[in-house]
Amino acid sequence: AQRYALYEVAAAYGAVSAALVTLGAKTISTFAEIEQGFAKVERTSGMYGDAFAPLEADLLSLSRTIHTLTSAIQDLDARGAQMGIAAEDVADFAEVMAKFIATSPDVDVNSVAEAFGRISKLTAEDDFLGIASAIAQVGVNSAATDAQILKTAEGVARATAAFGFSADEIIGLSAAMAS
């Protein structure tokens, strides 16, 4: 009977050690994914070494305060840099986009970053919080969803770029058209 009890103890230790090995491998894999994401942000933002350290700290802090995956925040930063957002504004851009995505369930990371980047470039406005607030406000008060408003706003911004429409005017018109 004692011998069978030792077999059970050995089996339990085997299961625990397998779980610990899996936990260690998953931890290393997660750290590698985070580092790959930071490498992508470095490459697209053009900030390296000591110049990148404050942005990296901001991103890690942001991923702890907003319930969004670190990889999604890194994607937002990389997309923002690709869309021509100034290096010093990338962290603010990612924060506003992460908050917008967290409160707008019908939008995804890539479409939001691209839409906001295009609207910002076409209207020469970089108040991302103002743009996000306007979309959220008209999304609540109209029949259109945030995703519909964003998609329409991209087209309206392109069509009205020569006329100097503000982002708020474009968003209001887009909500009316999408409703």
Side-chain angles (χ1 to χ4, degrees), residues 83-109:
M83 297 299 294
I85 305 300
E88 61 273 3
D89 295 332
V90 171
D92 291 335
F93 174 80
E95 180 178 2
V96 171
M97 295 302 98
K99 287 178 180 177
F100 184 78
I101 291 167
T103 59
S104 300
D106 61 338
V107 296
D108 66 278
V109 171

Side-chain angles (χ1 to χ4, degrees), residues 89-170:
D89 295 332
V90 171
D92 291 335
F93 174 80
E95 180 178 2
V96 171
M97 295 302 98
K99 287 178 180 177
F100 184 78
I101 291 167
T103 59
S104 300
D106 61 338
V107 296
D108 66 278
V109 171
N110 290 325
S111 65
V112 166
E114 289 177 12
F116 273 74
R118 285 190 184 113
I119 292 168
S120 173
K121 286 298 174 194
L122 291 168
T123 61
E125 291 186 34
D126 61 356
D127 179 17
F128 303 112
L129 183 58
I131 295 170
S133 296
I135 292 170
Q137 181 67 33
V138 297
V140 168
N141 294 319
S142 72
T145 66
D146 294 348
Q148 292 168 328
I149 294 167
L150 271 174
K151 184 176 181 178
T152 307
E154 280 187 87
V156 170
R158 272 189 238 107
T160 60
F163 303 108
F165 279 37
S166 71
D168 288 343
E169 292 169 330
I170 290 169

Side-chain angles (χ1 to χ4, degrees), residues 18-108:
L20 288 175
V21 167
T22 302
L23 177 65
K26 184 64 178 169
T27 301
I28 291 169
S29 171
T30 300
F31 282 126
E33 288 174 12
I34 289 172
E35 285 303 313
Q36 286 175 338
F38 281 130
K40 181 171 61 172
V41 173
E42 278 182 321
R43 181 179 51 82
T44 57
S45 70
M47 298 170 62
Y48 297 97
D50 292 339
F52 183 70
L55 179 59
E56 183 177 18
D58 286 346
L59 293 177
L60 289 173
S61 173
L62 184 61
S63 69
R64 287 186 211 100
T65 57
I66 299 174
H67 297 292
T68 303
L69 295 174
T70 303
S71 61
I73 292 171
Q74 291 168 333
D75 285 345
L76 287 168
D77 270 3
R79 281 290 193 186
Q82 288 172 343
M83 297 299 294
I85 305 300
E88 61 273 3
D89 295 332
V90 171
D92 291 335
F93 174 80
E95 180 178 2
V96 171
M97 295 302 98
K99 287 178 180 177
F100 184 78
I101 291 167
T103 59
S104 300
D106 61 338
V107 296
D108 66 278

